[in-house]
Amino acid sequence: MTITKLKNSVFVVFMCMVSRCLSASINESSVELKNCNIYEGKWVYDEAYPLFDSSKCSAIRGQFNCLKYGRPDRQFLKYRWQPNACSLPKFDASDFLARMKGKHIMFVGDSVSENHGQSLICLLNQAGAPSEVVEAVSDLTPNNSVTNVKLEAHGISITLFLSHYLVDIENEKIGRVLKLDSIKDGNTWKQADVLIFNTWLWWYRKGPKQPWDYIDSEGKIVKDMDRMEAFRRGLTTWKNWADSNINPSKTKVFFQGISPMHYNGEEWNAKGVKDCSRETTPLEGSTYPAGEPLALKVLKSVLYRKTPSSLSVPVTLLDITTLSQLRKDGHPTKYNNLGGMDCTHWCLAGVPDTWNQLLYTELLR
């Protein structure tokens, strides 16, 4: 009897020790993750990747569906982002669905935002969360379109809100005017529980692909202006809108960093290379030879400007720029439904899945 009690006591002590160890390990891991710069690291080969099978996700737009349109190599699918100072938690779709139950997630931006949002939909579909897609056109801004995806079983809505500049384009007597000081779609945006914004791709477009004729800034209408300055003013208008309209106790706000293009091989020390068509592996290491793009510096200057904390809404930067710069191999190239060379968007499955893994990590910490 005494021996039995002693054994039971030893077992209880042992279990308590294990429990404390596990608890301590989890706490240490949480502290490590909280203090870790998850955006500094390198790409490592991992046979467990990709995170989903693109052939089983109907949400993927043809422009991003590289395997469907004949991309012959598969190695680009097999890379995992490894931060220098910690390890990213795996994207746990079941946990994500539980955390987001009953909530509304909205991606607002250009087609790179669509790239990002479709990746998330595929990651959740693979976890047994079937989606119903409902498309609608915004009544407020004819240039923008809205796609609503509903995960009915979980009460989750994912909205892809196409807005090339975040600020407005309006049709006036003189023509189409890009209004750097105006945001009219904001009442729709602020209803979401999680907002992920992005803009950059369209700011330097000229000629037939430019969707405006004039710029209206600070009450002055001009035919054109320095595009980086226009970008800064548009971002400032967006940040002022966020500070004035977002309730941080209800809504988490993220801004996607600048998604890079790969049309100039000199940026990654490949002289004479004019596109990404022959790229099949990432760059090694943690730095990109061309460095940080000016657009990212402008974005950071707006996000991190000095404002009284009581007047500023927290915005988390998903700083995906450098890690995406390293992935010259991740673009559709000619393997898309449009037929042209695309070194701007990203294959799905692919790099945007890591953006969502980083989004999930930011929601955890």
Side-chain angles (χ1 to χ4, degrees), residues 319-338:
D319 198 357
I320 53 90
T321 302
T322 300
L323 65 92
S324 302
Q325 285 177 319
L326 298 173
R327 292 304 306 272
K328 56 186 174 57
D329 60 316
H331 300 287
T333 67
K334 66 181 181 179
Y335 302 106
N336 60 77
N337 67 333
L338 301 180

Side-chain angles (χ1 to χ4, degrees), residues 107 153 209 215 256 293 310:
F107 291 85
K209 292 184 178 181
I215 296 175
Q256 183 194 91
S310 60

Side-chain angles (χ1 to χ4, degrees), residues 146-365:
V146 181
T147 302
N148 292 311
V149 177
K150 297 182 179 181
L151 309 180
E152 294 286 4
H154 303 273
I156 297 173
S157 294
I158 300 175
T159 296
L160 310 180
F161 192 110
L162 181 65
S163 177
H164 294 135
Y165 299 91
L166 300 183
V167 292
D168 299 331
I169 297 176
E170 294 188 3
N171 292 315
E172 300 188 354
K173 288 182 180 180
I174 58 171
R176 302 164 299 173
V177 181
L178 176 63
K179 293 183 170 287
L180 297 182
D181 307 311
S182 174
I183 291 178
K184 291 186 176 178
D185 286 320
N187 284 336
T188 301
W189 303 346
K190 68 182 183 182
Q191 304 304 316
D193 299 289
V194 179
L195 282 166
I196 305 100
F197 289 97
N198 153 62
T199 183
W200 169 241
L201 183 59
W202 286 69
W203 285 89
Y204 270 82
R205 293 207 174 186
K206 296 184 178 182
K209 292 184 178 181
Q210 177 183 298
W212 50 266
D213 306 303
Y214 296 89
I215 296 175
D216 182 347
S217 179
E218 300 176 345
K220 297 179 181 179
I221 294 181
V222 295
K223 188 68 177 172
D224 207 341
M225 65 183 293
D226 179 86
R227 297 300 181 91
M228 194 63 73
E229 175 60 19
F231 177 59
R232 185 191 67 77
R233 293 186 189 184
L235 283 177
T236 301
T237 295
W238 167 82
K239 187 60 169 68
N240 290 340
W241 168 84
D243 289 343
S244 301
N245 290 274
I246 294 295
N247 177 359
S249 65
K250 175 190 182 297
T251 303
K252 291 183 181 293
V253 183
F254 298 88
F255 204 104
Q256 183 194 91
I258 304 301
S259 177
M261 297 176 278
H262 289 95
Y263 292 100
N264 180 5
E266 291 189 3
E267 290 186 352
W268 63 90
N269 293 333
K271 290 184 178 180
V273 173
K274 300 298 183 184
D275 57 42
C276 60
S277 59
R278 297 186 179 183
E279 305 299 332
T280 57
T281 57
L283 286 171
E284 294 182 358
S286 301
T287 58
Y288 190 63
E292 184 177 273
L294 179 57
L296 181 59
K297 295 177 182 178
V298 171
L299 172 59
K300 287 179 178 179
S301 73
V302 172
L303 292 182
Y304 303 144
R305 65 185 181 178
K306 291 184 178 179
T307 307
S309 58
S310 60
L311 302 176
S312 181
V313 168
V315 177
T316 300
L317 176 63
L318 293 175
D319 198 357
I320 53 90
T321 302
T322 300
L323 65 92
S324 302
Q325 285 177 319
L326 298 173
R327 292 304 306 272
K328 56 186 174 57
D329 60 316
H331 300 287
T333 67
K334 66 181 181 179
Y335 302 106
N336 60 77
N337 67 333
L338 301 180
M341 179 58 58
D342 187 352
C343 299
T344 299
H345 301 95
W346 304 91
C347 293
L348 294 180
V351 174
D353 309 333
T354 295
W355 301 352
N356 282 310
Q357 189 178 9
L358 293 164
L359 172 65
Y360 173 64
T361 302
E362 292 287 12
L363 288 169
L364 289 178
R365 61 181 188 165

